[in-house]
Amino acid sequence: MFIVQMFATTTTRSIDSLEQELLACQADKTRLVFRQVELLRHLDVAQVAAADGCRTMIDWVASRLDVSRRIAKDLLVVARAENAEVDRMLESGVVGLERAVALIRLVNTGASLELMEASR
């Protein structure tokens, strides 16, 4: 029954409208990730991990946000980089967390702004 209902729902809306809604959801998600990055910058400076008895800030983020250590590390990579261009792209929903981390890594290796744009 569910499959029939699901199919009926998708046939009443165009594929394009479904795709646009999916992309809008992703953009909303990246804007929330940017907000997390901003908050983590302040919490990192405040050394909340040490105050809470965690071994590392990665451990603290992973436990508080219930995410993997990899995602916690990625959030902190972006937070600690404080790269205005990457921040702008993340905040506007243009790039996601994974792309933001890749861009930070490119910047850290000395990549030019042109190479960063081309990588997108």
Side-chain angles (χ1 to χ4, degrees), residues 1-13 18:
M1 181 69 165
F2 175 73
I3 293 173
V4 172
Q5 288 174 337
M6 187 174 80
F7 182 72
T9 302
T10 59
T11 57
T12 59
R13 293 182 60 192
L18 294 170

Side-chain angles (χ1 to χ4, degrees), residues 76-97:
L76 288 168
V77 163
V78 176
R80 289 173 174 164
E82 297 191 39
N83 182 292
E85 183 63 19
V86 173
D87 286 353
R88 184 194 59 74
M89 288 187 282
L90 192 61
E91 182 180 25
S92 65
V94 173
V95 300
L97 179 61

Side-chain angles (χ1 to χ4, degrees), residues 36-108:
Q36 288 178 318
V37 164
E38 286 183 313
L39 295 168
L40 285 172
R41 285 182 178 140
H42 298 289
L43 292 166
D44 196 19
V45 169
Q47 299 181 347
V48 295
D52 279 352
C54 290
R55 231 173 22 100
T56 67
M57 189 63 177
I58 293 172
D59 292 335
W60 187 88
V61 171
S63 68
R64 293 307 181 278
L65 298 183
D66 193 25
V67 296
S68 69
R69 288 180 50 78
R70 185 188 65 79
I71 292 174
K73 181 179 177 183
D74 286 351
L75 286 166
L76 288 168
V77 163
V78 176
R80 289 173 174 164
E82 297 191 39
N83 182 292
E85 183 63 19
V86 173
D87 286 353
R88 184 194 59 74
M89 288 187 282
L90 192 61
E91 182 180 25
S92 65
V94 173
V95 300
L97 179 61
E98 294 85 1
R99 176 84 55 182
V101 170
L103 291 170
I104 294 298
R105 289 187 176 136
L106 275 174
V107 168
N108 289 344

Side-chain angles (χ1 to χ4, degrees), residues 20-50:
Q20 292 307 312
E21 185 176 347
L22 179 66
L23 294 173
C25 287
Q26 183 63 21
D28 289 345
K29 179 181 169 185
T30 61
R31 284 188 281 274
L32 288 172
V33 166
F34 175 71
R35 183 66 184 133
Q36 288 178 318
V37 164
E38 286 183 313
L39 295 168
L40 285 172
R41 285 182 178 140
H42 298 289
L43 292 166
D44 196 19
V45 169
Q47 299 181 347
V48 295

